[in-house]
């Protein structure tokens, strides 16, 4: 999950009424512009513009991913994930069971060749596993050999946008999703695959996942609320993050109790991979998003801030909370503080299964 910090929107909500005065967030054009700017900033290394060439795409990503050492910790987390990985395995089994001649394309296979191996085990005749990081591709070949699927899986090193497959695929499986869904070049890559790599590009059953969304909701965040004036006279968390990173994004775990959503989410991005106009862009910058702060969410946030973080943080002497009542009041104040907009992905794997939040956040 990513928090789009919003220092210009840090006005206090009226906690007694559990609402944003004058519906500040829904009507605040600066806040909405900030959210969209963050989405664009996250996606900038892999522009979805139809004029972007494979060479330009590769050059812009080389410094931030493809030429770096492999992050074994991140890949290991994917392999051991007890929700996302079994969900992909189940979707692949449903799609490939009782078939004998299906060709699968796995884009971004990684060093463990995880989804490609799941597809092979589910019954695919051929799997083309594409990996842009040359070091990861080399290790992927070793993983395939160790698993005994070298006659089924072909590992291709390079960008899927620069590769021509020996044959078109029946199914494309990929997990190219960031905390903001489009932030890992998802749209550009999938639009190219739709045009060049698939037998039935406009059939939803040609994709796992079939659809990817970015959900968003206003949120309170203990760190950005306490690590700024008046609680901290020398440090401003959100300001420092923006200065250091160049954009207002703060990445947090989807299950981090320090971040609490304040109402039901809205859809920021929605990509249907079988949509005929996918390459023309599926995100409208003129779309208006409005939130209604929910009292029950505020109450839950206040309780979580007090119970989950009260002992180590809210009760510190510097904050002046010397008893349970002062901790309770401060937790309510923090819950009613708008720190920014939380964004997280939702993957619709097929018509019967979707995963979101903890299940797909990386």
């Amino acid at each position: 999950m990513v928090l789009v910090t919003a220092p210009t929107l840090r006005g206090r909500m009226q906690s007694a009424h559990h609402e944003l005065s004058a519906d500040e967030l829904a009507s605040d054009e600066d806040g909405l512009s900030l959210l969209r700017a963050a989405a664009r900033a996250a996606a900038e290394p892999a522009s979805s513009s139809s004029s972007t060439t494979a060479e330009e795409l590769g050059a812009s990503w080389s410094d931030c991913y493809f030429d770096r050492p492999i992050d074994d910790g991140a890949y290991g987390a994917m392999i051991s994930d007890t929700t996302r990985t079994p969900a992909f395995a189940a979707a692949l089994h449903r799609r490939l069971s009782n078939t004998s001649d299906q060709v699968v394309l796995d884009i971004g296979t990684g060093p463990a060749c995880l989804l490609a191996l799941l597809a092979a085990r589910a019954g695919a005749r051929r799997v083309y596993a594409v990996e842009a990081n040359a070091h990861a591709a080399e290790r992927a070949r070793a993983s395939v050999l160790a698993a005994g699927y070298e006659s089924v899986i072909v590992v291709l090193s390079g960008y899927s946008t620069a590769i021509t497959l020996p044959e078109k695929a029946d199914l494309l499986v990929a997990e190219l999703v960031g905390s903001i869904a489009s932030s890992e070049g998802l749209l550009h890559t999938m639009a190219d695959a739709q045009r060049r790599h698939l037998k039935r590009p406009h059939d939803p059953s040609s994709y796992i996942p079939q659809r990817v969304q970015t959900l968003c909701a206003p949120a309170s965040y203990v760190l950005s609320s306490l690590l700024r004036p008046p609680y901290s006279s020398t440090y401003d968390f959100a300001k420092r993050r923006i200065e250091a990173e160049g954009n207002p994004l703060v990445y947090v775990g989807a299950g981090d109790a320090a971040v609490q959503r304040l109402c039901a989410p809205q859809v920021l991005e929605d990509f249907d991979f079988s949509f005929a106009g996918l390459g023309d862009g599926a995100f409208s910058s003129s779309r208006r998003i409005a939130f209604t702060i929910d009292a029950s969410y505020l109450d839950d946030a206040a309780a979580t801030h007090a119970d989950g973080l009260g002992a180590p943080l809210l009760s510190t002497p510097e904050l002046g909370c010397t008893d349970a009542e002062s901790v309770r009041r401060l937790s309510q104040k923090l819950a009613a503080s708008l720190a920014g907009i939380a964004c997280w992905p939702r993957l619709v794997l097929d018509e019967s299964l979707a995963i979101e939040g903890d299940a797909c956040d990386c």
Side-chain angles (χ1 to χ4, degrees), residues 80-88 349 353 355-356 358-360:
S80 60
D81 191 296
T82 58
T83 302
R84 176 178 53 186
T85 299
F88 269 92
L349 299 187
L353 181 61
I355 54 177
E356 136 180 6
D358 285 326
C360 60

Side-chain angles (χ1 to χ4, degrees), residues 62-84:
S62 61
D63 290 337
C64 62
Y65 171 69
F66 294 119
D67 293 333
R68 288 187 177 182
I70 300 167
D71 184 349
D72 286 315
Y75 283 118
M78 293 180 187
I79 295 170
S80 60
D81 191 296
T82 58
T83 302
R84 176 178 53 186

